[in-house]
Amino acid sequence: MSADMEGITGVMMVLCLIGLSNANTSPTIDSVVYNVCEDAPIDAHVFTIAASDAENDPLTYSLTAPNGDYFTVERNTGLVSIRTPLDREVSGNVMLLGVVVADGFNEIREELTIILGDANDNRPIFMNTPYDIEIAENTAVNTILFRAMATDEDTSNSGVVRYSIDEVTPNDGISLFTIVPITGEVKLTGQLNYTSLSTFYRLKINATDGGGKCFYDQTNYFSSIAFSFITVTDVPDLNPQFISIPYVGRVEENAPVGLSVFKVTALDQDTGVNDVMIYSIQDSTAEGLFAISATGVISVLSNIDREDIGDTVTLTVKATESKANIHGFQANTKAEVQINIIDVNDNTPHLYKCEDECVMESHFTGEVDEHWLGSVFINMTVKDLDKFAETSLTLEGGDKDVFSVQPALTMSDSIVQLQVKEPQKLDFEKIQQMVLQVIATDAKDHTFQSTATVTINIKDTNDNSPTFLQDTYKLNVVEHSPVGTILDTLTAKDPDTMDQGNITYKLLPDSILPYFDVNPHTGAVYVKNATLLDREVRSLYSATLQARDTDGKPGSTVLEITLTDINDHAPIINRDTYREFVKEGEALELPIEATDADDSDTKNSQIVFGIVPSKYSDNFTIGPDTGVLRNSGELDREALDPKLNGMIELNVTATDKGTPPLSTMVTVIINVEDVNDNTPQFKASSYKFSVKEGQKGAFVGSVQAEDLDQTAEFDRISFNIIEGSFGSFIIRTFAEERGYRGNITVDPDIELDYESARKQFRLQVEATDLEQKKAVVTVEVDVLDVNDERPEFKPSDPVTVKENTTISGPVGSFTAQDKDGNHLLVYQLESIKCRCDGSLTDCSWFILDPTGEVRVNPEQTVDYEECDQVLMEAQVVDKYTEKGENNSVTAGQMVINIEDINDNAPKFIFSDSVYVVVSENAGKGTSVAGVTATDRDSGINRQIEFKVAAVQFRDTNNQTGNTKIVFEAVTTQQKDIYIGIIQTTEALDTSLKGKYLVTVSATDTGDLSTSTVLEIFAVDVSYQVPLAFTRPQAVVEENIIDITRALSAATKAAVEIASIANAEASRVSGNTIIVAYFVYSNGTVLTTDEVVKMISDDPQQSRVLIELGLADIGKAPAIETETDPVKYALFGMVAGLVIVMAVLTTSLLCTRRNYKRKLKAAKAMNSAAMVTSDNQKSGPVVPGTNKYTMEGANPVLNLNIDTTMMLDMDEESSDVDKVSLNSLDSISYEKDKSNMMSIQEEEEEDDSGSPQYIEPLGAALAQRGQKKGSDDPHIGFSNPAFSTTDL
């Protein structure tokens, strides 16, 4: 091609390209509206820009304003992803996004509409906080207290807020408040009580939104917490109460009007009201004697006469509150006050004439023989109405010297007599009448006296009467002298000669004779009763010693017998107790008064006072002689134990100086009254707290102060912030058990700002008591940043703890972590569950410390046998969290495995079986009894070994003696139960009749053991009872349970089956013979005749037995007549040869059938011979015999052994496999092992199609035909002493 042509071609190609370019169309955006979740994460694909191009040119995508910075787009695919987080609440529900789509030739610009889907990403915010209120304690139930309100910026269900109360402090207030979930109205649901319940409640209110989701499938729920502080105010709703009752006071009679006697005190139980009391006397046993003041002081109102009103006056005192209570009336209470009236000497003694009754008299008469020497009865009695009277009697008048008055001094009502002093003046020839006056004077107050005239008429008598040398003899004798002690020998003179030596003596009056008497011939006065001679009861006795001559003429003298003192009475303190009130700092002076009934002139009545050592006795002294109690130092109420409430109790003793010294003790109660002498004291020199920013009303901390004064009126404290708050904090005062607490909180209207200039405040807090005594402390408050991360648990490894452990240290610990740098993690127990018998139940074996350490609960015992594993769940709380939840999202778990130790001894399982042994048939190895035991421990610790520890024999005469150990125990095991088979070690003595007492011990591997005693009755074979039945043996065996039940019901005895056999073998009428024993639990065995009688006496059971085929009882096998043994031996040999030939012939014809049966038995024997077991004690074992020694193999023992299990027969084995092991009894085992092996090989070749069995013994058992209609293929008998082989 030429150059020109090439140029033309190039130009044409360019023109074509320009035309094609102008013909290309722009791409189009198919959709401009897209939905995007606001919670889509960065780089998440949220939508694909839908665009197309008519020429299918490849498209490119890019983003522009507006809002292009929020998204990114893949250039070639249009897949849009998130670049920066979205927030619907900031951006609004819809946002525009600029998009550019190009196809390489053209581009199109469009603004897409992005609809932001709401995700639940905002928490509810409480409004109008705080919710602190005060309410009266009688506020009605269902009253709306306030309304909590929270808002949520989310939409739809995410913005719906529901309210709940999560916690109430204290916990018992949870039932008092409720909140309406929808409206947030908090209602009172229980009755408040300022006195018995709390006065302050803190409600933890939870606001939770309805939850929502958008980008993620998981629904989010958010909640917030607000606290409400509710203060309960007191109202007057309780009655007042008297304190320190019972009330007992004392006052002397004739006390001046207005004298204070006693003070009662009543307090208002409404402690928050503390109303003033008004006191009044409502009733009195003696009206008008006392009055009570407004302060409760009882005083004398009018004159008091003890002789008129008695020793005691009882007042009923009423205390009434000054203001009306909530019910509209004034509450009141009553108490009784006992006032003891103390006697004073205010009565004159008077003289009385007493016959039927005593009458005051001023003139008395009497008669006396001339020259009479003795007492003159004038019918006079002296009385003084005072309680402790002492009256002296004297004579006046012209003839007063002739007489004396007796008694001269008396302390009680006494008969007054005149004693002739000068009998020579009683001369009838000179004077016939004498007049004198008797004067009774109060010895304590001589102004009290009375006088009476006594006229004595003198009678004429024989002048020659016996006379004593003295008119009065004063005799002394020690009180309580022995009987027969001679005081003195007194004799009288008579001038008549016929009376010389013939005078007799007598003591008068008769009332003196219980105390003293006189020898009638010698005149010796002696003690008659030592016990009655008590000087403190009566120190002076007056008696007349009378002498008579032979004509009966008397002469007398007066005896004044004085008892000398011994120390036989302890001092008596005049009060049962002393109570004194004294203000602290003042002096105490309290006289303690005591008297001693012993002689005042001796040391026996001299009293020394002392104080019994006690906690506060060193603070007091007492005058040893005066008895005045004083404080040795200043009394300080605050130095006393506050529990004493200012009361000091001392024990004061009054001891005499006699030998031996005697003492009496009295309690002295000193009430130290408080005064305000202490200034409040803070418990710390300074305080430092911190508080999170931005929390209105947040709790900052507490300051504590105490005023050592011990009464409420002096120790009450109030707190104030006096400096440094800048209006940001408030403080409230609360009472504590000791002192007061000031809770500092952020002002509810203030939000602290950590970013501001004030990150620390120095507050000056002042504590002031009621009398304005003050103390100031500095409180530093740091403003902290917010902690908002929740703690998380680390996995806990399983822990192993031995049972019964008592370790106090930790056995494991929970560990958690918190991403916040400033945190305090405290662990709280959520639940403890123990795995007991495979199921989890609540328990309290372990405790969790706040530090996360797990310890054994010292009040509980860890027991592996009860539970083998413990699952603990715990929660961890960050105590420093101020925003958001402060606990972990999921609970921590710890598995504690309990390790078993050997702490349980084996325990025997009770059995009521009766064990019997037939001595004649019991050889070595015969099983006669069995025991079972378990051990609660596990593993090797529960293994048990049985042993026969001792054997005794008790004969029929109940005589018990030791014998050698003829039994042994063989230990086997069935699941968790250990079985001890008791068997004989040698043949038993057949001469012994009675029972064996076998002591069997069970010991585990830790040498813990227990024992039991088995009673094994020795029975003679003569007690066998044969029972003939008309039914075949198979039918009888099938009905054996019903037969045994009927026999036992008829005889009331345990029926022990010895054997079941065909009747032909014993030639007894009937088809089957059962040989049985009938034994009672005490070992008594029935004879055949007794069995026959009992069955005959029970028609019902007889009818049952006849229906079961019973034909005869007690018919023994027939005894054959003696014959020539040689002849029968020859016949036997011939018959034997014939039988052998017949057997051989039959065997050839029925080889397969016979071989099959014999082979099964041979297999069983071979298997049994090769068995090895830890429990097998001897050589090859044969089923159906007592040679079985392996576990569960003896079919004759009365043990609950699952034969199917012990022979490894599974549940699918046929009933034929489980027939009694006695089926092999008739098989001969005489062939040697080699023959058995050859038969086995032949059988295996010939019987390939027969069923396969796991055990050879199972194969042998399967060949025994099951009886038709039998539902009970295995029958066990209760007597372990018998088997078909033994009998």
Side-chain angles (χ1 to χ4, degrees):
M1 181 180 295
S2 64
D4 292 336
M5 289 299 294
E6 292 176 356
I8 293 172
T9 302
V11 172
M12 292 181 68
M13 290 181 66
V14 170
L15 292 174
C16 289
L17 289 173
I18 293 173
L20 291 172
S21 174
N22 291 333
N24 189 282
T25 60
S26 299
T28 60
I29 296 177
D30 301 326
S31 177
V32 295
V33 179
Y34 296 90
N35 292 299
V36 176
C37 291
E38 68 169 331
D39 61 337
I42 296 175
D43 297 329
H45 302 311
V46 292
F47 64 89
T48 300
I49 300 173
S52 60
D53 185 86
E55 291 81 12
N56 290 325
D57 293 331
L59 303 180
T60 59
Y61 304 84
S62 62
L63 304 179
T64 64
N67 300 317
D69 295 334
Y70 286 93
F71 302 89
T72 62
V73 64
E74 292 184 8
R75 178 176 178 81
N76 297 321
T77 63
L79 187 63
V80 178
S81 302
I82 301 296
R83 170 181 288 178
T84 60
L86 304 176
D87 190 348
R88 185 196 64 80
E89 288 73 20
V90 175
S91 302
N93 294 327
V94 178
M95 64 188 301
L96 300 177
L97 175 62
V99 176
V100 178
V101 180
D103 61 358
F105 302 98
N106 303 297
E107 68 179 21
I108 184 173
R109 294 178 178 270
E110 187 70 69
E111 286 186 356
L112 304 182
T113 299
I114 308 299
I115 299 175
L116 292 180
D118 186 31
N120 188 19
D121 59 348
N122 288 279
R123 297 181 181 275
I125 303 298
F126 279 97
M127 310 297 292
N128 303 323
T129 58
Y131 303 121
D132 298 346
I133 62 170
E134 287 187 0
I135 58 175
E137 66 171 331
N138 63 337
T139 300
V141 176
N142 294 324
T143 298
I144 297 176
L145 305 182
F146 61 88
R147 179 182 179 186
M149 179 181 295
T151 61
D152 193 319
E153 293 182 359
D154 294 315
T155 61
S156 186
N157 196 46
S158 302
V160 176
V161 180
R162 295 183 67 86
Y163 304 88
S164 63
I165 298 177
D166 289 351
E167 177 181 294
V168 177
T169 304
N171 293 334
D172 55 6
I174 191 67
S175 63
L176 298 176
F177 305 94
T178 187
I179 190 169
V180 179
I182 302 301
T183 64
E185 291 177 343
V186 176
K187 294 182 178 180
L188 181 67
T189 58
Q191 188 61 55
L192 301 173
N193 193 308
Y194 183 91
T195 305
S196 60
L197 300 179
S198 177
T199 61
F200 169 84
Y201 297 92
R202 188 188 75 168
L203 276 59
K204 183 180 180 182
I205 301 175
N206 183 306
T208 303
D209 60 29
K213 63 182 180 180
C214 188
F215 183 86
Y216 298 99
D217 291 333
Q218 181 178 357
T219 301
N220 293 325
Y221 296 87
F222 291 96
S223 62
S224 296
I225 298 297
F227 290 92
S228 171
F229 296 88
I230 299 176
T231 301
V232 181
T233 59
D234 198 10
V235 297
D237 60 345
L238 297 174
N239 291 334
Q241 184 178 29
F242 281 99
I243 63 172
S244 303
I245 57 176
Y247 293 137
V248 179
R250 65 192 303 271
V251 64
E252 290 184 350
E253 64 175 333
N254 304 324
V257 174
L259 176 69
S260 296
V261 177
F262 194 82
K263 182 178 181 181
V264 298
T265 303
L267 299 178
D268 188 351
Q269 294 191 76
D270 299 306
T271 56
V273 178
N274 196 21
D275 200 358
V276 176
M277 295 295 113
I278 300 173
Y279 298 91
S280 61
I281 296 177
Q282 294 296 297
D283 193 14
S284 175
T285 56
E287 295 293 335
L289 294 180
F290 300 94
I292 190 168
S293 68
T295 60
V297 176
I298 298 173
S299 59
V300 177
L301 181 62
S302 62
N303 183 57
I304 301 172
D305 188 357
R306 187 199 67 83
E307 290 74 21
D308 183 29
I309 64 173
D311 293 326
T312 303
V313 175
T314 301
L315 306 178
T316 300
V317 178
K318 180 179 179 181
T320 306
E321 294 180 3
S322 62
K323 298 177 183 178
N325 59 14
I326 61 173
H327 304 296
F329 60 87
Q330 294 171 290
N332 64 80
T333 186
K334 295 180 181 180
E336 285 192 352
V337 180
Q338 178 179 310
I339 307 296
N340 295 324
I341 309 303
I342 308 304
D343 183 48
V344 297
N345 188 18
D346 62 345
N347 285 278
T348 302
H350 291 284
L351 300 171
Y352 296 81
K353 181 180 291 185
C354 298
E355 293 179 354
D356 295 336
E357 60 181 7
C358 292
V359 179
M360 189 183 301
E361 187 64 60
S362 61
H363 189 272
F364 297 83
T365 60
E367 291 183 345
V368 63
D369 293 335
E370 64 176 335
H371 305 303
W372 173 255
L373 181 61
S375 61
V376 180
F377 178 73
I378 57 177
N379 193 17
M380 178 185 289
T381 301
V382 63
K383 293 185 178 184
D384 191 328
L385 296 180
D386 289 323
K387 190 172 183 178
F388 302 102
E390 188 174 353
T391 304
S392 64
L393 296 172
T394 57
L395 297 177
E396 292 293 335
D399 300 316
K400 67 176 183 178
D401 295 333
V402 179
F403 302 90
S404 65
V405 63
Q406 297 294 332
L409 181 67
T410 180
M411 290 180 288
S412 61
D413 297 347
S414 300
I415 295 175
V416 180
Q417 291 183 334
L418 296 180
Q419 182 71 38
V420 177
K421 293 172 58 179
E422 297 178 358
Q424 68 278 9
K425 293 183 179 181
L426 297 178
D427 190 350
F428 182 81
E429 287 74 21
K430 294 180 181 180
I431 186 170
Q432 290 79 39
Q433 189 179 73
M434 292 183 176
V435 178
L436 64 160
Q437 290 78 40
V438 176
I439 301 174
T441 304
D442 192 324
K444 297 179 180 178
D445 189 349
H446 294 171
T447 61
F448 295 117
Q449 67 175 217
S450 61
T451 304
T453 301
V454 180
T455 301
I456 303 298
N457 296 314
I458 301 172
K459 297 189 301 181
D460 190 17
T461 61
N462 190 334
D463 293 341
N464 295 317
S465 298
T467 59
F468 289 89
L469 296 178
Q470 298 180 18
D471 295 334
T472 301
Y473 290 88
K474 295 183 181 293
L475 306 179
N476 294 324
V477 64
V478 176
E479 62 178 329
H480 303 304
S481 292
V483 174
T485 300
I486 296 176
L487 283 66
D488 200 354
T489 300
L490 305 176
T491 59
K493 302 295 183 179
D494 194 320
D496 297 326
T497 57
M498 73 286 298
D499 296 328
Q500 296 298 318
N502 295 320
I503 298 175
T504 58
Y505 301 90
K506 182 179 180 181
L507 273 182
L508 297 173
D510 292 340
S511 59
I512 199 66
L513 295 181
Y515 308 93
F516 304 95
D517 208 345
V518 63
N519 188 303
H521 304 294
T522 64
V525 179
Y526 61 92
V527 174
K528 193 173 183 180
N529 189 313
T531 305
L532 297 179
L533 297 184
D534 189 350
R535 193 204 67 82
E536 287 71 25
V537 175
R538 186 175 177 182
S539 62
L540 181 65
Y541 293 84
S542 295
T544 298
L545 178 59
Q546 186 183 75
R548 287 185 179 272
D549 59 13
T550 55
D551 292 335
K553 297 176 182 178
S556 63
T557 185
V558 174
L559 304 182
E560 290 184 2
I561 303 174
T562 301
L563 299 184
T564 58
D565 188 45
I566 63 174
N567 191 23
D568 61 344
H569 284 80
I572 298 176
I573 299 175
N574 65 347
R575 295 190 196 176
D576 295 332
T577 183
Y578 286 82
R579 184 181 297 272
E580 189 71 7
F581 292 83
V582 59
K583 292 184 181 296
E584 61 177 330
E586 294 182 356
L588 169 71
E589 186 170 323
L590 175 64
I592 307 300
E593 300 175 355
T595 59
D596 194 311
D598 291 316
D599 192 348
S600 59
D601 296 329
T602 65
K603 290 185 177 182
N604 295 337
S605 61
Q606 297 179 11
I607 299 174
V608 177
F609 295 89
I611 302 175
V612 178
S614 62
K615 183 175 181 180
Y616 299 105
S617 61
D618 293 339
N619 297 323
F620 300 86
T621 60
I622 191 169
D625 299 320
T626 64
V628 176
L629 181 66
R630 296 181 175 88
N631 53 307
S632 57
E634 182 176 345
L635 295 176
D636 187 2
R637 169 76 177 253
E638 288 68 38
L640 304 179
D641 187 343
K643 296 179 181 178
L644 298 177
N645 199 24
M647 186 176 71
I648 301 174
E649 185 172 304
L650 302 177
N651 289 322
V652 175
T653 59
T655 306
D656 61 28
K657 296 182 179 180
T659 304
L662 302 176
S663 65
T664 302
M665 186 167 63
V666 68
T667 300
V668 179
I669 299 175
I670 302 169
N671 291 282
V672 181
E673 298 179 333
D674 193 24
V675 298
N676 190 12
D677 59 347
N678 287 277
T679 301
Q681 296 179 359
F682 282 93
K683 295 185 178 180
S685 58
S686 63
Y687 294 87
K688 186 176 181 65
F689 304 115
S690 60
V691 63
K692 301 293 184 180
E693 64 174 339
Q695 295 182 353
K696 294 181 178 180
F699 175 76
V700 176
S702 298
V703 297
Q704 292 84 25
E706 182 181 6
D707 192 322
L708 295 180
D709 293 314
Q710 292 188 358
T711 55
E713 59 183 313
F714 297 135
D715 68 356
R716 185 170 296 176
I717 296 173
S718 61
F719 297 93
N720 292 289
I721 301 176
I722 60 176
E723 184 180 344
S725 172
F726 301 100
S728 299
F729 301 90
I730 61 175
I731 189 169
R732 292 183 176 177
T733 304
F734 299 91
E736 292 187 325
E737 182 177 357
R738 286 183 59 88
Y740 286 80
R741 181 183 76 251
N743 285 352
I744 301 174
T745 59
V746 177
D747 192 305
D749 298 325
I750 298 296
E751 283 190 2
L752 299 178
D753 187 3
Y754 180 82
E755 287 71 24
S756 68
R758 295 191 183 279
K759 293 183 175 61
Q760 187 182 67
F761 295 82
R762 289 180 61 87
L763 310 181
Q764 299 296 314
V765 177
E766 179 184 81
T768 308
D769 65 14
L770 295 182
E771 293 188 357
Q772 299 302 308
K773 292 188 176 182
K774 302 177 181 179
V776 179
V777 70
T778 299
V779 179
E780 292 185 6
V781 181
D782 295 326
V783 180
L784 304 178
D785 206 353
V786 174
N787 179 331
D788 58 355
E789 292 291 338
R790 301 177 72 170
E792 298 176 349
F793 274 101
K794 294 181 179 179
S796 298
D797 296 330
V799 176
T800 300
V801 176
K802 291 185 178 181
E803 66 171 326
N804 300 332
T805 183
T806 57
I807 61 174
S808 59
V811 299
S813 63
F814 286 92
T815 306
Q817 59 186 3
D818 194 309
K819 295 179 181 178
D820 295 315
N822 181 28
H823 60 261
L824 174 62
L825 300 185
V826 176
Y827 297 84
Q828 300 173 348
L829 183 62
E830 288 286 308
S831 67
I832 301 181
K833 293 186 180 295
C834 293
R835 189 177 70 184
C836 310
D837 296 329
S839 61
L840 293 176
T841 58
D842 293 333
C843 62
S844 56
W845 284 359
F846 296 90
I847 56 178
L848 176 62
D849 290 345
T851 60
E853 292 183 336
V854 177
R855 303 176 186 274
V856 177
N857 189 343
E859 298 180 357
Q860 299 286 326
T861 300
V862 179
D863 190 355
Y864 173 86
E865 287 73 36
E866 183 179 350
C867 305
D868 59 0
Q869 192 179 75
V870 177
L871 178 63
M872 294 186 68
E873 290 191 350
Q875 183 65 269
V876 61
V877 175
D878 185 356
K879 290 294 186 180
Y880 289 168
T881 298
E882 292 293 336
K883 182 177 181 182
E885 299 292 336
N886 66 346
N887 61 330
S888 61
V889 177
T890 59
Q893 289 188 344
M894 177 182 292
V895 176
I896 303 176
N897 296 312
I898 309 303
E899 182 179 337
D900 185 34
I901 64 173
N902 192 0
D903 62 340
N904 290 278
K907 183 177 181 181
F908 283 96
I909 301 174
F910 172 75
S911 173
D912 58 357
S913 300
V914 178
Y915 299 115
V916 179
V917 62
V918 179
S919 300
E920 290 86 344
N921 295 341
K924 181 178 180 181
T926 301
S927 297
V928 296
V931 292
T932 54
T934 60
D935 194 307
R936 296 183 63 196
D937 294 316
S938 64
I940 192 173
N941 295 331
R942 75 185 311 159
Q943 295 181 6
I944 299 174
E945 186 71 25
F946 295 99
K947 181 181 179 182
V948 175
V951 178
Q952 292 181 310
F953 190 85
R954 183 174 296 166
D955 59 22
T956 54
N957 295 324
N958 208 30
Q959 297 296 317
T960 303
N962 294 324
T963 182
K964 64 180 180 178
I965 299 178
V966 294
F967 301 97
E968 65 179 357
V970 178
T971 304
T972 62
Q973 182 181 359
Q974 177 180 341
K975 294 185 178 179
D976 293 336
I977 298 177
Y978 283 81
I979 302 165
I981 302 172
I982 310 303
Q983 60 187 24
T984 56
T985 59
E986 59 184 56
L988 300 180
D989 187 351
T990 59
S991 64
L992 297 176
K993 305 298 180 182
K995 60 182 176 182
Y996 291 93
L997 304 179
V998 180
T999 301
V1000 181
S1001 65
T1003 306
D1004 63 17
T1005 56
D1007 291 332
L1008 299 177
S1009 66
T1010 186
S1011 63
T1012 187
V1013 177
L1014 298 179
E1015 293 185 350
I1016 303 176
F1017 296 94
V1019 178
D1020 197 309
V1021 291
S1022 62
Y1023 287 99
Q1024 287 184 355
V1025 178
L1027 304 168
F1029 285 81
T1030 59
R1031 308 284 177 86
Q1033 180 178 352
V1035 176
V1036 172
E1037 289 178 347
E1038 181 180 346
N1039 297 329
I1040 192 62
I1041 294 178
D1042 294 333
I1043 294 171
T1044 303
R1045 186 183 299 113
L1047 292 172
S1048 179
T1051 61
K1052 306 299 185 293
V1055 179
E1056 311 296 341
I1057 304 298
S1059 66
I1060 303 175
N1062 290 327
E1064 299 161 353
S1066 58
R1067 299 191 186 94
V1068 177
S1069 62
N1071 294 324
T1072 305
I1073 295 297
I1074 294 179
V1075 177
Y1077 290 85
F1078 294 80
V1079 186
Y1080 288 105
S1081 59
N1082 61 356
T1084 303
V1085 186
L1086 297 178
T1087 63
T1088 300
D1089 294 339
E1090 292 170 337
V1091 173
V1092 172
K1093 184 178 184 305
M1094 289 184 176
I1095 294 178
S1096 300
D1097 292 342
D1098 193 335
Q1100 180 181 354
Q1101 300 303 330
S1102 297
R1103 186 163 48 254
V1104 173
L1105 290 170
I1106 292 172
E1107 291 175 356
L1108 293 172
L1110 179 63
D1112 198 0
I1113 302 176
K1115 188 172 291 185
I1119 301 175
E1120 301 293 337
T1121 306
E1122 293 186 3
T1123 57
D1124 186 356
V1126 177
K1127 179 174 66 176
Y1128 281 95
L1130 293 175
F1131 283 132
M1133 293 175 63
V1134 174
L1137 291 174
V1138 174
I1139 292 171
V1140 170
M1141 293 300 294
V1143 169
L1144 290 175
T1145 302
T1146 305
S1147 299
L1148 291 174
L1149 297 176
C1150 306
T1151 300
R1152 181 173 182 82
R1153 181 177 180 182
N1154 292 336
Y1155 271 10
K1156 186 174 183 179
R1157 174 174 172 79
K1158 294 179 181 179
L1159 178 59
K1160 299 302 181 182
K1163 286 182 179 180
M1165 180 60 189
N1166 186 39
S1167 177
M1170 293 185 292
V1171 170
T1172 59
S1173 172
D1174 294 337
N1175 294 325
Q1176 188 172 352
K1177 303 301 181 181
S1178 60
V1181 295
V1182 180
T1185 72
N1186 279 332
K1187 291 185 179 180
Y1188 267 98
T1189 57
M1190 66 179 296
E1191 183 176 315
N1194 193 338
V1196 301
L1197 288 179
N1198 181 21
L1199 302 175
N1200 297 321
I1201 302 176
D1202 188 348
T1203 309
T1204 304
M1205 179 194 71
M1206 302 312 295
L1207 296 178
D1208 290 333
M1209 299 180 185
D1210 57 23
E1211 294 178 355
E1212 298 177 357
S1213 300
S1214 66
D1215 291 338
V1216 177
D1217 295 337
K1218 302 171 185 176
V1219 174
S1220 171
L1221 301 180
N1222 290 333
S1223 61
L1224 300 180
D1225 287 355
S1226 61
I1227 301 177
S1228 171
Y1229 295 93
E1230 300 300 327
K1231 298 184 181 295
D1232 60 23
K1233 182 175 180 181
S1234 60
N1235 292 337
M1236 292 181 184
M1237 296 300 294
S1238 63
I1239 295 173
Q1240 178 180 358
E1241 293 172 0
E1242 180 181 350
E1243 178 67 13
E1244 291 173 353
E1245 295 174 0
D1246 193 39
D1247 197 20
S1248 60
S1250 61
Q1252 298 299 315
Y1253 297 89
I1254 297 175
E1255 292 288 339
L1257 182 56
L1261 293 173
Q1263 297 306 312
R1264 179 173 182 177
Q1266 186 177 8
K1267 299 173 180 59
K1268 295 182 180 180
S1270 174
D1271 294 328
D1272 187 9
H1274 177 72
I1275 299 174
F1277 303 113
S1278 60
N1279 189 350
F1282 305 126
S1283 72
T1284 55
T1285 304
D1286 294 337
L1287 300 177

